[in-house]
Structure formats: structure tokens, C-alpha cells
Amino acid sequence: MSEQLSREQREEALEAAIAGYIRDGYQVTYRSATGATVAKGKPINHTLHLILTIATCTVWSFVWIALAIMAAAQNATYVLSVDAYGNVQAAKQ
């Protein structure tokens, strides 16, 4: 069994994992010494789509629904954590 790492070594392992996610287009939304949350995707401007839906007598609602479904499929959020041995785990939210 391997030995436990120091806090600095664990932070370095987490930082390396975060760097990989950033290269893949993710943004860090939360960061601590032993964990982070990274997210990818663009938010939908629901206010704009509501105005368009009202202005077009609900015709725009079909576009809005389609965009919301596609955005949900493309967006991803992961919670990263590092244990005492430097292993980084990623859990999809």
C-alpha cells in the first residue's frame, strides 16, 4: 500500500486534473484545497426566450424547448476530489 501524500502534493495532483479539464473547455466554478467543481456549456437566456414566446404567440416555444433539450445534453458538471493518496476522483453531477 502506498503512503499518504502531503497536502501540497495532493493539491498538485488536483491542479493537474483541473488543468486537463480546462484544456477540454471546462471552467472552474469552485475550488478548495482538496476539491473542485468544473462545468462546461453555455447557459440559455430564458428571459429572451420568454419574451420571444410571448411576442410570437407561443410559436417560439418550440424553438425554446428544442434549445433547452440540446443544451442539457451538451452541458456537463463534474465534482473533483483528491484523497490522501493523491488519487483524483471525478463524479458527474
Side-chain angles (χ1 to χ4, degrees):
M1 186 174 256
S2 62
E3 63 184 58
Q4 293 185 359
L5 301 179
S6 69
R7 181 180 177 127
E8 292 80 22
Q9 291 171 316
R10 292 170 59 197
E11 287 180 14
E12 288 175 9
L14 180 62
E15 195 60 42
I18 291 171
Y21 278 92
I22 290 172
R23 278 191 303 274
D24 291 338
Y26 287 82
Q27 296 178 340
V28 178
T29 58
Y30 172 77
R31 176 76 164 88
S32 71
T34 59
T37 303
V38 293
K40 183 178 189 178
K42 294 181 180 179
I44 294 179
N45 186 342
H46 291 290
T47 305
L48 172 65
H49 290 288
L50 177 62
I51 292 168
L52 290 171
T53 299
I54 293 169
T56 61
C57 299
T58 70
V59 173
W60 189 260
S61 65
F62 299 109
V63 175
W64 187 6
I65 291 169
L67 288 173
I69 290 170
M70 288 188 299
Q74 293 174 352
N75 292 349
T77 301
Y78 290 93
V79 176
L80 307 176
S81 61
V82 61
D83 65 14
Y85 302 100
N87 301 314
V88 179
Q89 291 86 28
K92 188 170 183 177
Q93 270 191 332

